Amino acid sequence: MAELGFVMGGLSYTYENGVTSTDPFPPSNDPVIILGKKYSSVFDHKKLKKVVQTLPWFTYRKGFNPIGGTGPTSDQGWGCMLRCGQMMLCQSLVNLHLPPNWTWSIDSLGGSPAYRKVLDMFLDKKSSCYSIHQIASMGVAEGKNVGQWFGPNTVAQVLKKLTSYDDWNQIVIHVAMDNTVVIEDIKSLCKTPHTSSGVNLQFESDTSITTSLYRDPSLSSHLSPHTSLTSSASWDGHVWRPLLLMVPLRLGLSCINDIYMRSLKRFFELPYTVGVLGGKPNHAHWFIGYTGDDLIFLDPHTVQPMVDTDTHDGLWDDSSYHCTAACRMNISNLDPSVALGFFCRTEQEFDDLAQILQHEKNSIAPMFEVCLKRPTHWPPLNTGNPHGTDTVFTVVPSPKYDTDDEYELV
């Protein structure tokens, strides 16, 4: 596949698929929907650019330390879905720790301390909890060798396991299986105290930072009003642990069924959405919205050098983790294997989401079921697995339509 390279801001970028220079938001009467919010491409054009630029953008990287000590030093050609999973989870943590109107700026070197701490969890080094190193290594438990492509369900399951090592956020990732969201199960999980792994992956060199951030009142302006300033006691099981709900789905056989197109568009309009993991054969994307019949997404298929943060006293340039333009594709070109994402900081937000989902199924074709209690033929929910996974269910896709294979890049 032909590659195109250029230099911007002192960094070398390589695009696997060429550069699309067209404006993703040309003037149109169609509203632009991005992560639950509505914009006008005519009157909100500058705002739309800022909205996209604020979102986390994780791409292929090269030059990082070998994964596992002897593995690959770049994820080019296999890491696109892993990067998309990082984007969805990072956006969830941004929603948790930063106010709704927070925006990223290229001029604010250092940025918000809370944002920097979130971003640090995804850097390309073994000590970062949600790094490419940790995701690829944990994928072995899901039957994926290091350097092998993931599908939407696989990356969801791997991120779920990694949360057991995240003692700062204490987030719950629930992967709803069998196209069913069980309200009672989710409440049980989110009210189960986080069990510390005893391993602080992301801050091995300075474990004091794990709690010191929330003890500094000067940082209160950077934090969400839902976030406590007393470490993580506000959601350590006594009230509610923040929830990232991921719903893997298959919306057709070889292509998305027309009946679900309106439902998928409607998903992007809902509050609490953090996008969709999916794409098309050979390409995974993080979908963040739609306009007309086009889906809007961030594309990870750009190869950038690994950012060395250890030599800049904490004031390293984070501009390569943000892009200036989103991409678009017609919804009919979407591969039917996807994973939807919802993020709820509080139990009240989850109750609101559950009510919305129950109402939505009466007006459009539902993509999944929502029920109050666990079906009687299901085995009991396992809330005590130290790796954060409910091992009762294993996804066994039909060999004829195993879309994990469709995300291989050559």
Side-chain angles (χ1 to χ4, degrees):
M1 182 177 294
E3 293 184 348
L4 177 65
F6 71 100
V7 175
M8 175 183 287
L11 293 177
S12 173
Y13 296 80
T14 302
Y15 285 81
E16 285 197 339
N17 306 294
V19 179
T20 301
S21 59
T22 57
D23 184 353
F25 306 117
S28 170
N29 291 328
D30 292 324
V32 178
I33 307 297
I34 295 182
L35 298 184
K37 296 182 179 180
K38 183 177 180 180
Y39 303 92
S40 165
S41 60
V42 177
F43 302 105
D44 300 323
H45 195 270
K46 289 185 178 179
K47 188 174 184 179
L48 277 166
K49 184 177 180 180
K50 193 65 177 178
V51 167
V52 169
Q53 195 175 42
T54 295
L55 296 174
W57 181 48
F58 295 115
T59 71
Y60 291 150
R61 295 280 175 171
K62 62 181 180 180
F64 49 69
N65 289 333
I67 297 176
T70 59
T73 59
S74 172
D75 60 313
Q76 181 180 6
W78 58 271
C80 53
M81 184 59 77
L82 286 71
R83 296 301 186 178
C84 292
Q86 286 181 319
M87 286 188 266
M88 177 182 284
L89 178 55
C90 184
Q91 182 60 39
S92 300
L93 297 183
V94 167
N95 290 350
L96 175 63
H97 293 292
L98 293 160
N101 60 347
W102 176 80
T103 57
W104 176 84
S105 172
I106 194 172
D107 300 321
S108 57
L109 186 63
S112 158
Y115 161 71
R116 280 298 177 132
K117 188 175 178 184
V118 168
L119 187 59
D120 197 57
M121 303 190 78
F122 298 88
L123 299 181
D124 299 308
K125 54 185 180 181
K126 183 181 178 181
S127 59
S128 293
C129 186
Y130 302 114
S131 66
I132 193 74
H133 297 70
Q134 296 295 345
I135 298 174
S137 298
M138 188 64 79
V140 175
E142 295 294 321
K144 299 292 185 181
N145 295 327
V146 174
Q148 191 175 3
W149 25 259
F150 285 14
N153 176 66
T154 302
V155 75
Q157 297 289 354
V158 167
L159 291 175
K160 179 179 180 179
K161 289 184 176 182
L162 287 174
T163 59
S164 64
Y165 302 98
D166 184 359
D167 295 337
W168 176 43
N169 297 292
Q170 301 190 19
I171 189 173
V172 170
I173 294 183
H174 178 65
V175 183
M177 303 312 299
D178 289 1
N179 300 340
T180 305
V181 172
V182 182
I183 295 175
E184 191 176 68
D185 283 1
I186 292 174
K187 291 208 169 193
S188 177
L189 290 168
C190 289
K191 292 183 178 181
T192 299
H194 173 79
T195 301
S196 174
S197 64
V199 179
N200 195 326
L201 293 174
Q202 65 269 33
F203 299 113
E204 290 178 334
S205 62
D206 183 8
T207 56
S208 64
I209 196 173
T210 305
T211 56
S212 63
L213 176 66
Y214 284 127
R215 292 175 181 169
D216 184 354
S218 67
L219 300 180
S220 60
S221 62
H222 300 291
L223 301 177
S224 162
H226 299 276
T227 304
S228 170
L229 288 173
T230 57
S231 186
S232 55
S234 64
W235 56 65
D236 65 358
H238 300 295
V239 180
W240 180 267
R241 291 166 58 195
L243 167 72
L244 172 56
L245 170 61
M246 304 182 75
V247 188
L249 299 170
R250 186 164 191 95
L251 303 177
L253 295 179
S254 59
C255 60
I256 183 172
N257 193 313
D258 291 350
I259 196 174
Y260 295 120
M261 290 185 181
R262 177 67 192 102
S263 304
L264 186 60
K265 288 182 181 180
R266 176 60 182 154
F267 161 81
F268 291 109
E269 300 171 9
L270 301 178
Y272 315 117
T273 177
V274 284
V276 174
L277 304 181
K280 54 186 178 180
N282 299 334
H283 290 82
H285 304 304
W286 178 40
F287 292 91
I288 57 174
Y290 80 93
T291 182
D293 289 327
D294 285 353
L295 298 178
I296 302 167
F297 63 89
L298 298 191
D299 188 352
H301 299 96
T302 301
V303 185
Q304 303 185 80
M306 186 271 277
V307 176
D308 184 1
T309 63
D310 296 329
T311 59
H312 297 83
D313 298 324
L315 297 179
W316 47 274
D317 182 7
D318 63 347
S319 60
S320 66
Y321 291 96
H322 299 270
C323 63
T324 57
C327 304
R328 288 166 59 166
M329 64 176 279
N330 191 277
I331 190 171
S332 63
N333 295 326
L334 180 69
D335 186 272
S337 182
V338 299
L340 313 184
F342 299 96
F343 180 72
C344 299
R345 288 169 291 207
T346 64
E347 184 174 10
Q348 181 179 354
E349 288 187 354
F350 176 67
D351 288 340
D352 185 35
L353 173 63
Q355 187 175 11
I356 291 171
L357 294 176
Q358 290 281 18
H359 175 76
E360 287 294 318
K361 71 179 183 180
N362 297 322
S363 56
I364 56 177
M367 294 184 289
F368 55 90
E369 294 294 324
V370 179
C371 59
L372 179 61
K373 295 183 178 294
R374 195 174 183 85
T376 56
H377 62 280
W378 285 14
L381 176 69
N382 178 7
T383 60
N385 190 307
H387 294 295
T389 52
D390 181 358
T391 57
V392 169
F393 294 100
T394 301
V395 178
V396 184
S398 166
K400 184 177 179 182
Y401 300 113
D402 183 359
T403 56
D404 276 10
D405 291 347
E406 295 176 355
Y407 287 98
E408 181 177 14
L409 287 172
V410 294

